[in-house]
């Protein structure tokens, strides 16, 4: 099924018209990546982790505080070895399901390795790890040109989110990445990733759209691309209410935005046969909790990056996400669901996906999330899912505001 573009809303057209009138000329007179920079500059580093957070993590690790276990696990992982060798390819080919591809695992794992070395550098200031992060990025930017096959958007989302975090950290904190290398990596993200992660996938399972938006917002910040950033916010605001249900939505969930699924029976099928909807239920809960975890992680990553840039998406979706955290944590912990939910059975496969959301709602906002806290206590120190979640116990567990 080929992705389809969302129709533009009348409000977007009106806003564009007002922009033209106010500016006295077309809004397109500046290159897309430079629009609005003078009036609304991005904060760097500002993709998932910011400067204050990195300083606090560094201090707490050096003091032997709780993040020390998470840091030690990260540094001892295969991703943290200075002997790590990247394996770039010219074209990453990722067919659907379990069909063999070319470069799919290598790309995801190399991106996580680069991010791992960037975090080790941020904590230790050991330049060898900074050099390794840059070496891995340079290897891929020198070779990769495209993503192909059916899973190309999701593959680009998973790898692209890790690349954007790494590139953002290294450009902002390390003086040894030559400008030519930075520019080449910018071109890589703009040409080989951004088109993939901004395509429309309205009737796909929602973890795709959210993972793609996670990558898109990180890439937008790194590229100082206000248009891409605003588009990521729009997609977030459209997809999250269609993925996590609350009773205020009515008797059934909202349909996926811009798609063809809208009748009661179509929504039941889309929600894997579910006909009753408890508060906080995710669209893929009756598929498995692994994909719900992906969606929760991506949602929190997007909101956290937006928070660093001065946009409070967390507040907009708080009732949905806090309810989803508690509901799915309860079943991941082992509680048996009622027969009315997924036929009384769920697949308990959630990974280390909840640290960022829990940190914001519990640590910053004081929301009581007992089931989520119990699950995190079992999982810590959270490692990586080898896809796009990595070391978030270190970066977000009870971290700075």
């Amino acid at each position: 099924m080929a992705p389809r573009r969302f129709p533009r809303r009348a409000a977007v057209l009106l806003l564009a018209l007002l922009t033209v009138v106010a500016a006295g000329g077309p809004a397109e007179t500046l290159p897309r990546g430079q629009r609005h920079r003078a009036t609304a500059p991005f904060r760097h580093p500002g993709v998932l982790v910011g400067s204050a957070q990195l300083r606090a993590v560094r201090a707490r690790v050096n003091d032997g505080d709780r993040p020390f276990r998470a840091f030690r696990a990260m540094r001892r992982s295969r991703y943290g070895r200075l002997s790590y060798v990247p394996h770039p390819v010219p074209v990453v080919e990722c067919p659907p399901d379990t069909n063999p591809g070319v470069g799919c695992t290598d790309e995801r794992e190399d991106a996580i390795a680069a991010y791992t070395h960037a975090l080790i550098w941020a904590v230790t200031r050991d330049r060898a790890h900074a050099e390794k992060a840059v070496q891995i990025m340079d290897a891929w930017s020198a070779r990769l040109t495209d993503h192909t096959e059916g899973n190309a958007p999701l593959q680009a989302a998973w790898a692209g989110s890790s690349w954007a975090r790494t590139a953002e950290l290294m450009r902002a904190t390390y003086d040894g990445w030559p400008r030519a290398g930075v520019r080449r990596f910018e071109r890589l993200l703009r040409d080989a990733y951004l088109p993939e992660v901004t395509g429309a996938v309205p009737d796909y399972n929602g973890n795709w759209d959210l993972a793609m938006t996670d990558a898109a917002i990180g890439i937008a910040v790194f590229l100082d691309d206000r248009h891409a950033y605003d588009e990521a916010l729009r997609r977030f605001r459209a997809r999250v209410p269609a993925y996590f249900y609350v009773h205020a939505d009515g008797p059934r969930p909202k349909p996926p935005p811009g798609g063809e699924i809208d009748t009661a029976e179509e929504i039941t099928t889309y929600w894997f046969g579910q006909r009753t909807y408890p508060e906080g239920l995710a669209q893929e809960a009756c598929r498995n909790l692994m994909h719900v975890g992906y969606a929760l992680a991506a949602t929190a990553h997007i909101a956290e990056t937006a928070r660093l840039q001065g946009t409070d998406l967390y507040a907009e979706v708080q009732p949905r996400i806090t309810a989803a955290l508690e509901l799915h944590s309860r079943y991941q912990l082992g509680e048996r669901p009622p027969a009315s939910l997924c036929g009384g059975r769920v697949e308990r496969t959630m990974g280390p996906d909840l640290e960022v959301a829990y940190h914001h709602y519990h640590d910053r906002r004081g929301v009581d999330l007992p089931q989520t806290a119990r699950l995190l206590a079992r999982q810590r120190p959270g490692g990586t899912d080898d896809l796009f979640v990595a070391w978030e116990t270190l970066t977000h567990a009870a971290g700075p505001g």
Side-chain angles (χ1 to χ4, degrees):
M1 175 168 46
R4 298 188 298 109
R5 293 284 178 188
F6 289 10
R8 288 186 177 273
R9 297 178 184 271
V12 175
L13 295 175
L14 177 59
L15 179 60
L17 177 60
L18 291 174
T19 301
V20 171
V21 172
E28 297 291 334
T29 54
L30 287 176
R32 174 174 291 183
Q34 295 180 7
R35 279 179 234 159
H36 310 302
R37 283 186 186 177
T39 56
F42 287 100
R43 302 169 187 171
H44 302 291
V47 178
L48 191 59
V49 292
S51 296
Q53 197 161 6
L54 289 170
R55 286 194 299 271
V57 169
R58 184 161 59 247
R60 296 175 70 208
V61 167
N62 291 338
D63 288 344
D65 204 349
R66 186 169 65 180
F68 180 75
R69 273 198 313 135
F71 175 74
R72 183 171 56 186
M74 178 182 72
R75 192 166 194 175
R76 290 180 175 178
S77 75
R78 62 191 176 95
Y79 294 114
R81 296 171 186 164
L82 288 171
S83 60
Y84 189 94
V85 177
H87 296 89
V89 296
V91 178
V92 174
E93 304 172 26
C94 299
D97 303 321
T98 58
N99 296 326
V102 176
C104 307
T105 300
D106 288 334
E107 181 188 32
R108 296 192 303 265
E109 293 187 351
D110 286 0
I112 289 173
Y115 182 55
T116 301
H117 286 283
L119 288 176
I120 297 172
W121 150 253
V123 171
T124 66
R125 288 296 190 252
D126 182 342
R127 293 180 72 90
H129 290 282
E131 291 165 4
K132 177 58 69 171
V134 168
Q135 177 203 13
I136 296 169
M137 288 190 290
D138 285 349
W140 278 88
S141 67
R143 293 206 69 193
L144 182 67
T145 61
D146 201 7
H147 295 84
T148 64
E149 303 294 336
N151 268 12
L154 187 59
Q155 171 73 18
W158 285 337
S161 60
S162 297
W163 288 133
R165 292 166 205 156
T166 307
E168 178 75 357
L169 278 179
M170 298 314 299
R171 185 181 62 182
T173 66
Y174 177 58
D175 61 5
W177 192 8
R179 182 57 190 158
V182 175
R183 288 198 185 102
R184 193 172 69 190
F185 205 79
E186 289 172 346
R187 288 194 297 271
L188 175 72
L189 293 181
R190 185 174 294 285
D191 296 342
Y193 290 88
L194 197 57
E196 292 290 350
V197 301
T198 53
V201 288
D203 294 334
Y204 287 42
N205 287 311
N207 83 87
W208 275 58
D209 209 348
L210 290 166
M212 290 163 67
T213 305
D214 181 9
I217 197 170
I219 292 169
V221 171
F222 178 68
L223 295 178
D224 287 307
D225 189 329
R226 181 61 58 177
H227 176 84
Y229 176 83
D230 290 343
E231 177 63 10
L233 298 187
R234 184 199 67 76
R235 287 184 70 148
F236 177 95
R237 288 168 170 147
R239 177 58 78 168
V240 170
Y243 191 89
F244 300 103
Y245 172 80
V246 290
H247 293 150
D249 294 337
R252 60 178 181 266
K254 296 176 181 291
E260 298 179 352
I261 296 169
D262 53 13
T263 70
E265 283 304 310
E266 288 170 340
I267 288 176
T268 294
T269 300
Y270 185 59
W271 284 63
F272 294 85
Q274 190 62 22
R275 294 182 182 275
T276 61
Y277 305 99
E279 187 90 352
L281 188 68
Q283 179 248 319
E284 295 176 275
C286 296
R287 180 187 186 188
N288 55 57
L289 297 187
M290 176 175 65
H291 286 88
V292 174
Y294 295 165
L296 282 166
T299 297
H301 294 166
I302 298 161
E304 186 70 7
T305 295
R307 185 193 71 85
L308 290 167
Q309 301 306 327
T311 307
D312 191 358
L313 295 178
Y314 280 121
E316 297 178 23
V317 298
Q318 179 168 333
R320 295 180 191 278
I321 303 308
T322 54
L325 288 169
E326 287 295 276
L327 179 72
H328 299 95
S329 292
R330 188 163 76 239
Y331 295 127
Q332 178 66 28
L333 284 163
E335 183 175 322
R336 183 174 180 178
S340 61
L341 179 59
C342 309
R345 299 179 65 183
V346 293
E347 189 174 314
R348 298 179 174 90
T349 47
M350 186 179 291
D353 302 316
L354 308 184
E355 291 281 17
V356 178
Y358 180 81
H359 170 50
H360 180 80
Y361 290 119
H362 179 268
D363 298 338
R364 292 185 184 131
R365 294 291 176 256
V367 179
D368 188 26
L369 299 169
Q371 300 296 332
T372 313
R374 285 181 58 212
L375 179 56
L376 286 171
R378 284 190 185 183
Q379 294 179 331
R380 285 174 175 164
T384 176
D385 63 0
D386 301 316
L387 299 174
F388 75 119
V389 175
W391 320 121
E392 291 173 6
T393 299
L394 173 69
T395 58
H396 288 84

